[in-house]
């Protein structure tokens, strides 16, 4: 096997661990540096569409995701006040038939744990917060950590999330923008709810200046919800700010009793602000690049942030694996492959936030008529016409450098 460049990955989130596991399969020595003291994910779910599950398949993790997760039958839209069904479009099993892999709801901790299994524990350095990155004198890159440690490698991949230190070191400081949306999330044992209270679907309650998504996890034993409300109050992006049932119920006062009954049973609720960035035209410099939220944080309205981090991880590992002797060119090719797709999804997710939260009753009525019409003319179309996202198979892309 040709000599492999050494690789440092900053961040042991979904994207960083996936990249580490995929690079190891291609013979790379990878060191992952994570700021947290232990590998952990917030208690919340994540929706993975076929394009993301294909990356898990390449890691032989698809079965695990399906057996630990939940396959929803439909996307269902509900009206916030009347509880009227606005649309119902099929997911399982049609999604798999059309796009070649299932649509899975999985607990983030289960996903992270499975990805971490693909990386030897000795390669993951916890409590290492990257604070600086520079070209090293003798070639390669030098990463410095808050605890005083430094590390050298030929390649550095910044998978360190929306506040990426690697991004700051490569392209300068630029704060993310508060979108005016506040989120609450919680997970509820399904048996705390009356039987049949929650449809086995990906449900989306749409109302003026807010929406709520809920779905099952872990074979239907847990219900995950994310509740979003527009607000002027500025909030940090931490996923770990505790909130309360009372605060949540107050924010959704007047919404349908079926939804409020779900909130009534929630414990351990957390809240955070939703932040956003514009697409970044360039992600790579010399031997360093970005991946996942560090490169292209996106609003959750298309449920694609983790999926795109997984696609990035596959693409960067495959480019480096094919051209280990030309790492800078491989990183530039990775960026060229991924930038346009992820920028398009970032902007589409942003646009969808506007239609989901429509305030004017007349505009909401027109939107709902459009949903109803789509059901008549193309009942199997995905609700938000996201076929172009789901269809993509990053594991089958041809990757050849010129020269
Ligand atoms: C409400 C909500 C719902 C969502 N739902 C979905 C969904 O259904 N489907 C989907 O695909 N996506 C969803 N997403 C998006 C998804 O969660 C993110 O896009 C995804 O987690 C990004 O993964 P990442 O690995 O790039 O970054 P992160 O998960 O943020 O991981 C970054 C890691 O880097 C570490 N780190 C940070 N700074 C440093 C540093 N300086 N040095 C070392 N380590 C560092 C962090 O501790 C963390 O472990 C949702 C997001 C939100 C907000």
């Amino acid at each position: 096997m040709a000599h492999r460049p050494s690789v440092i990955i900053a961040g042991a989130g979904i994207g960083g661990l996936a990249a580490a596991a995929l690079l190891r399969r291609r013979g790379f020595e990878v060191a992952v540096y994570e700021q947290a003291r232990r590998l952990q994910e917030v208690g919340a779910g994540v929706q993975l569409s076929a394009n993301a599950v294909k990356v898990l398949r390449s890691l032989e993790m698809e079965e695990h995701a399906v057996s630990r997760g939940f396959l929803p039958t439909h996307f269902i839209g509900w009206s916030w006040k009347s509880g009227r069904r606005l649309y119902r479009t099929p997911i399982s099993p049609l999604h798999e038939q059309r796009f070649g892999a299932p649509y899975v709801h999985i607990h983030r901790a289960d996903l992270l744990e499975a990805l971490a299994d693909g990386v030897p524990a000795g390669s993951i350095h916890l409590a290492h917060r990257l604070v600086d990155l520079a070209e090293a004198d003798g070639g390669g890159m030098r990463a410095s950590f808050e605890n005083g440690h430094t590390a050298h490698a030929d390649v550095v991949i910044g998978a360190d999330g929306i506040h990426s230190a690697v991004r700051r070191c490569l392209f300068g400081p630029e704060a993310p923008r508060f979108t005016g949306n506040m989120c609450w999330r919680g997970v509820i044992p399904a048996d705390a709810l009356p039987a049949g209270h929650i449809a086995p679907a990906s449900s989306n309650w749409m109302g003026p200046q807010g929406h709520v998504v809920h779905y099952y996890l872990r074979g239907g034993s847990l219900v995950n919800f994310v509740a979003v409300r527009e607000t002027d109050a500025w909030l940090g992006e931490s996923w770990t700010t505790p909130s309360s049932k009372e605060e949540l119920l107050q924010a959704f006062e007047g919404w349908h009793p079926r939804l409020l009954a779900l909130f009534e049973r929630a414990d351990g609720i957390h809240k955070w602000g939703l932040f956003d960035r514009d697409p970044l035209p360039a992600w790579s410099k010399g031997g360093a690049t970005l991946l996942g939220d560090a490169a292209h944080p996106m609003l959750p309205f298309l449920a694609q942030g983790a999926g795109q981090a997984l696609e990035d991880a596959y693409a960067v590992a495959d480019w480096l694996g094919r051209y280990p002797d030309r790492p800078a060119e491989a990183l530039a090719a990775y960026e060229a492959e991924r930038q346009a797709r992820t920028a398009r999804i970032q902007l589409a997710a942003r646009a969808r936030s506007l239609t989901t939260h429509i305030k004017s009753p007349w505009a909401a009525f027109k939107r709902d008529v459009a949903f109803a019409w789509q059901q008549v003319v193309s009942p199997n179309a995905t609700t938000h016409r996201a076929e172009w996202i789901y269809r993509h198979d990053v594991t089958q892309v041809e990757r050849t450098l010129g020269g």
Side-chain angles (χ1 to χ4, degrees):
M1 189 183 283
H3 168 74
R4 279 9 198 166
S6 53
V7 181
I8 283 177
I9 297 178
I14 292 167
L17 286 178
L22 288 156
L23 282 163
R24 277 190 51 80
R25 286 178 165 240
R26 289 163 176 77
F28 287 81
E29 278 298 315
V30 185
V32 183
Y33 291 90
E34 164 60 44
Q35 66 179 3
R37 298 201 163 273
R38 57 192 182 93
L39 279 189
Q40 58 186 1
E41 260 296 352
V42 291
V46 63
Q47 312 195 51
L48 296 179
S49 46
N51 51 304
V53 172
K54 284 175 188 162
V55 178
L56 300 184
R57 180 179 291 168
S58 78
L59 283 163
E60 294 165 75
M61 275 180 48
E62 179 182 357
E63 231 176 80
H64 173 91
V66 170
S67 65
R68 294 288 285 156
F70 187 84
L71 303 187
T73 59
H74 294 86
F75 290 112
I76 304 184
W78 307 95
S79 171
W80 69 290
K81 196 163 188 178
S82 66
R84 191 166 53 87
R85 203 169 72 195
L86 302 175
Y87 59 80
R88 182 170 177 268
T89 54
I91 307 182
S92 187
L94 190 69
H95 189 87
E96 181 163 8
Q97 290 157 9
R98 291 181 73 191
F99 306 116
Y103 193 102
V104 184
H105 293 158
I106 184 167
H107 198 292
R108 297 176 72 100
D110 296 342
L111 178 60
L112 202 78
E113 192 182 295
L115 290 168
D117 276 349
V119 186
S123 317
I124 303 176
H125 307 277
L126 299 173
H128 278 70
R129 181 165 190 266
L130 185 143
V131 287
D132 196 25
L133 180 68
E135 284 186 17
D137 288 343
M141 308 292 296
R142 189 189 67 244
S144 308
F145 299 90
E146 200 173 48
N147 60 11
H149 182 76
T150 56
H152 290 80
D154 301 309
V155 169
V156 172
I157 299 175
D160 49 347
I162 187 165
H163 294 293
S164 173
V166 174
R167 176 172 172 143
R168 171 178 48 77
C169 295
L170 295 180
F171 301 109
E174 181 223 349
R177 183 180 63 92
F178 180 54
T179 61
N181 287 285
M182 184 148 122
C183 277
W184 286 262
R185 64 169 174 78
V187 177
I188 302 164
D191 58 15
L193 292 156
H197 192 84
I198 299 292
S202 173
S203 285
N204 187 2
W205 295 76
M206 289 182 283
Q209 296 179 286
H211 80 287
V212 179
V213 170
H214 57 67
Y215 50 82
Y216 286 108
L217 300 172
R218 290 195 180 145
S221 61
L222 295 175
V223 177
N224 174 78
F225 73 82
V226 176
V228 180
R229 205 85 173 91
E230 290 176 19
T231 170
D232 293 332
W234 173 276
L235 248 184
E237 306 93 298
S238 162
W239 285 61
T240 47
T241 309
S243 180
S244 66
K245 202 182 312 190
E246 290 68 32
E247 190 182 17
L248 175 62
L249 286 166
Q250 195 183 1
F252 286 85
E253 199 181 338
W255 286 54
H256 195 268
R258 194 144 44 93
L259 189 60
L260 300 185
L262 175 73
F263 294 161
E264 294 274 7
R265 281 145 173 108
D267 268 330
I269 302 166
H270 288 81
K271 64 177 181 183
W272 75 102
L274 270 191
F275 285 69
D276 190 18
R277 288 185 194 269
D278 288 331
L280 187 65
W283 307 351
S284 311
K285 242 185 203 174
T289 194
L290 302 172
L291 171 161
D293 277 9
H296 46 66
M298 45 187 71
L299 294 175
F301 293 87
L302 285 167
Q304 280 296 317
Q308 292 312 303
L310 289 169
E311 287 188 15
D312 287 350
Y314 189 93
V316 75
D318 203 42
W319 275 111
L320 284 168
R322 284 170 196 267
Y323 297 98
D325 47 343
R326 297 160 72 183
E329 288 168 79
L331 295 186
Y334 150 71
E335 174 189 310
E337 176 188 328
R338 299 292 305 152
Q339 201 276 345
R341 172 168 167 83
T342 53
R344 186 176 169 200
I345 299 175
Q346 272 180 294
L347 298 178
R350 195 184 280 176
R352 212 185 122 186
S353 72
L354 304 178
T355 49
T356 305
H357 286 189
I358 287 175
K359 199 170 159 192
S360 139
W362 172 239
F365 173 74
K366 284 200 294 188
R367 175 200 63 198
D368 298 344
V369 168
F371 281 139
W373 180 243
Q374 182 176 307
Q375 298 269 273
V376 174
V377 294
S378 32
N380 287 340
T382 62
T383 310
H384 297 283
R385 307 315 299 256
E387 285 84 353
W388 63 276
I389 298 177
Y390 304 152
R391 187 180 298 128
H392 186 65
D393 186 350
V394 75
T395 69
Q396 297 301 318
V397 171
E398 284 277 324
R399 295 189 175 91
T400 314
L401 279 180

